[in-house]
Amino acid sequence: MSALPKVFIARPPEGDALDRLRPYAEVVVWGEDRPASREELIAHAHDAVGVLTSVADRIDEAVLDACPNLRVVSNMAVGYDNFDVARLTQRGIAAGNTPGVLTDATADIAMALILASTRRIVEGHNALLAGEWTSWNASFMLGFEISGATLGLIGTGRIGLAVARRAQAFSMRVLATSRTRRAEPGIEYVELDQLLSESDVVSVHVALNEQTRGMVGEREIGLMKPTSFLVNTARGAIVDQRALATALNRGAIAGAGIDVYCEEPVALDDPIVQAPNVVLLPHIGSATTKTRRAMADLAVDNLIAGLAGRPLVHCINPEVYNQR
Ligand code: DGY
């Protein structure tokens, strides 16, 4: 038996970040290419002091009850809706995440979805492969031009602001909603209804929590212009996925670009997958080698700090330190 505290790695990170953890912990890595079920997570982590998780691993009351030695949980993600933060804090368990390092990669994917949906990139690729490109035709595959158009950002945290900067480089006018309304050059803050009814592209950049769950529902989608596009790279449950599919089927909006879903992986028979004019990605907002390695490094730094009883580099619940 190892004298080192046990850390369960529920999702192996990209790169060699775990090598830095090994001097401080007995590192046990989940070996399957799928998330561990709750029972499997508990079976491996019941005696662990630390756990490294991805967005697919839920840390809730049942897991915490079954893992009494936990001192630190480290999410390899900026979002942490997979954590019951209140329960973690109650139990004095430090919870970490990886903000900052994935901002550019995720903003790039939002921009890619904006361009792919407005300029029909996937449709064009498929049309070529299907032999539908027979000659140059002035009316073939016409799209919507974002230059001079209005982008509506729901949320102006790090990623929202990075999308704003990219959109400004494409000569877009930028509207935004935000709790904090931080003054930013070229961003006009408005109420959500105005943003929805004026924007040509609406892009979602808020964290998922009880205030934002379902915030873009049937009523909100109904306010969007029939020529407009909805892009979601934040969390699926912020948008009513069924209402979005219905709107796409009815032509109530022109298109959508989606990287995140209510259930992941999304089922192939889900209405959103079957809907027309939608570009779908498999939750790859942060998926570049550079970013995934940086996320791994930060998640491991959080674990090492937590094991040593030091404040995490990025702590979701710093109140735990006042309890100690
Ligand atoms: C995040 O960091 O929250 C991403 O969604 C994970 O890729």
Side-chain angles (χ1 to χ4, degrees):
M1 218 179 102
S2 165
L4 294 172
K6 175 172 165 183
V7 171
F8 179 55
I9 309 297
R11 209 62 184 153
E14 162 63 24
D16 53 12
L18 290 184
D19 292 346
R20 288 191 299 108
L21 183 60
R22 292 186 204 281
Y24 306 98
E26 177 201 352
V27 176
V28 177
V29 182
W30 174 247
E32 310 266 340
D33 189 20
R34 61 171 175 84
S37 66
R38 179 199 300 264
E39 292 68 35
E40 290 165 332
L41 180 62
I42 289 173
H44 287 83
H46 70 278
D47 53 350
V49 173
V51 178
L52 184 127
T53 53
S54 75
V55 290
D57 307 299
R58 297 211 74 75
I59 301 293
D60 56 16
E61 193 169 13
V63 171
L64 295 178
D65 278 344
C67 305
N69 300 339
L70 271 187
R71 287 212 309 268
V72 54
V73 291
S74 176
N75 211 28
M76 220 169 10
V78 61
Y80 48 83
D81 44 285
N82 53 320
F83 284 180
D84 186 333
V85 179
R87 303 261 182 236
L88 283 160
T89 307
Q90 231 170 45
R91 292 168 193 243
I93 301 169
N97 68 339
T98 62
V101 294
L102 47 76
T103 302
D104 286 327
T106 309
D108 288 348
I109 277 288
M111 218 50 222
L113 283 173
I114 291 171
L115 286 164
S117 54
T118 55
R119 295 304 302 275
R120 306 172 65 178
I121 302 289
V122 178
E123 213 183 319
H125 176 92
N126 291 338
L128 183 149
L129 293 185
E132 290 165 14
W133 181 29
T134 48
S135 66
W136 191 91
N137 179 325
S139 308
F140 183 54
M141 298 278 330
L142 300 187
F144 175 81
E145 190 158 325
I146 62 169
S147 166
T150 299
L151 172 67
L153 296 172
I154 302 182
T156 51
R158 292 180 186 85
I159 298 171
L161 289 181
V163 174
R165 287 193 292 274
R166 284 157 175 73
Q168 285 162 348
F170 279 83
S171 306
M172 295 188 87
R173 170 187 176 220
V174 180
L175 302 180
T177 61
S178 134
R179 270 179 305 117
T180 51
R181 296 192 164 214
R182 244 186 339 200
E184 289 291 335
I187 297 186
E188 203 181 315
Y189 287 103
V190 293
E191 294 302 321
L192 180 60
D193 285 6
Q194 184 185 346
L195 177 140
L196 292 163
S197 56
E198 280 187 25
S199 297
D200 298 300
V201 180
V202 173
S203 190
V204 181
H205 299 287
V206 283
L208 175 61
N209 53 43
E210 284 326 301
Q211 287 74 51
T212 62
R213 187 177 293 279
M215 82 184 278
V216 183
E218 189 182 345
R219 188 192 80 84
E220 287 72 23
I221 296 170
L223 292 174
M224 292 175 64
K225 300 194 270 193
T227 49
S228 66
F229 297 80
L230 179 66
V231 168
N232 188 5
T233 53
R235 283 292 182 269
I238 297 162
V239 174
D240 180 336
Q241 197 167 289
R242 190 163 279 275
L244 175 60
T246 304
L248 289 163
N249 278 308
R250 289 199 184 131
I253 64 171
I258 307 291
D259 186 42
V260 287
Y261 306 85
C262 295
E263 294 291 331
E264 296 186 359
V266 68
L268 294 183
D269 61 357
D270 190 287
I272 196 65
V273 177
Q274 300 300 325
N277 304 325
V278 62
V279 178
L280 304 170
L281 294 178
H283 200 151
I284 56 167
S286 62
T288 68
T289 306
K290 175 182 166 188
T291 289
R292 285 287 163 85
R293 289 190 177 172
M295 289 164 74
D297 276 336
L298 191 42
V300 163
D301 288 345
N302 278 337
L303 276 174
I304 292 173
L307 293 176
R310 291 196 311 268
L312 309 193
V313 184
H314 281 290
C315 192
I316 297 161
N317 58 348
E319 316 86 88
V320 288
Y321 303 115
N322 307 329
Q323 296 167 205
R324 289 182 175 170

